[in-house]
Amino acid sequence: MKVLHVINKQKGDGIGLEHLTKSDTEKDVWFSGYWDIPLAEAELLVGGILYLHESKAKPSRFGGRVLGFEPTIRSDLAHSHRIRFKILAFPEVRGVKWRGADHAMASYGTIIEVDE
């Protein structure tokens, strides 16, 4: 199964994670964005697992199975073409250690294949 670990900082309110919104129509479905990830990589992740971390040093706080994604444009960001993932959240993704790219500037690990 393909997995991706990404940094998703905590909101200024200290309660939730940035750019994470709950679906109004589907139970346990959330939208997470806005990631500077190539479309080809996003396509590989559909059916896999997305883990959201506050930092690489901290275990995941949220995540789930990637149901799909959509390209978005955010003119307020340096790279305006971004990805927003649609995920089915479940508790087993909490508390997982960061895997993938680990250099200082990595905001997301690489998509990796794991046996789960």
Side-chain angles (χ1 to χ4, degrees):
M1 170 186 332
K2 301 211 183 307
V3 302
L4 179 63
H5 293 255
V6 298
I7 293 178
N8 192 18
K9 303 259 187 213
Q10 193 168 12
K11 286 185 195 177
D13 62 14
I15 297 169
L17 296 172
E18 285 186 327
H19 310 300
L20 186 63
T21 56
K22 190 167 185 350
S23 171
D24 293 332
T25 58
E26 299 173 274
K27 184 180 186 324
D28 299 326
V29 172
W30 294 75
F31 297 94
S32 175
Y34 298 88
W35 310 110
D36 187 11
I37 295 173
L39 288 174
E41 286 188 39
E43 288 173 7
L44 289 174
L45 197 57
V46 174
I49 305 294
L50 181 68
Y51 295 90
L52 305 180
H53 298 256
E54 263 188 84
S55 73
K56 290 185 282 292
K58 294 182 179 180
S60 58
R61 291 192 56 207
F62 193 81
R65 181 160 319 279
V66 176
L67 302 174
F69 68 94
E70 62 185 20
T72 62
I73 295 179
R74 292 285 308 259
S75 59
D76 60 322
L77 300 172
H79 298 106
S80 60
H81 290 79
R82 300 288 176 128
I83 297 294
R84 184 171 100 142
F85 287 106
K86 180 179 182 181
I87 60 174
L88 175 63
F90 50 90
E92 292 82 5
V93 297
R94 291 186 185 131
V96 176
K97 183 180 172 187
W98 178 274
R99 291 181 278 186
D102 201 21
H103 58 85
M105 296 301 292
S107 60
Y108 72 95
T110 52
I111 294 176
I112 56 175
E113 186 76 34
V114 297
D115 295 326
E116 289 190 24

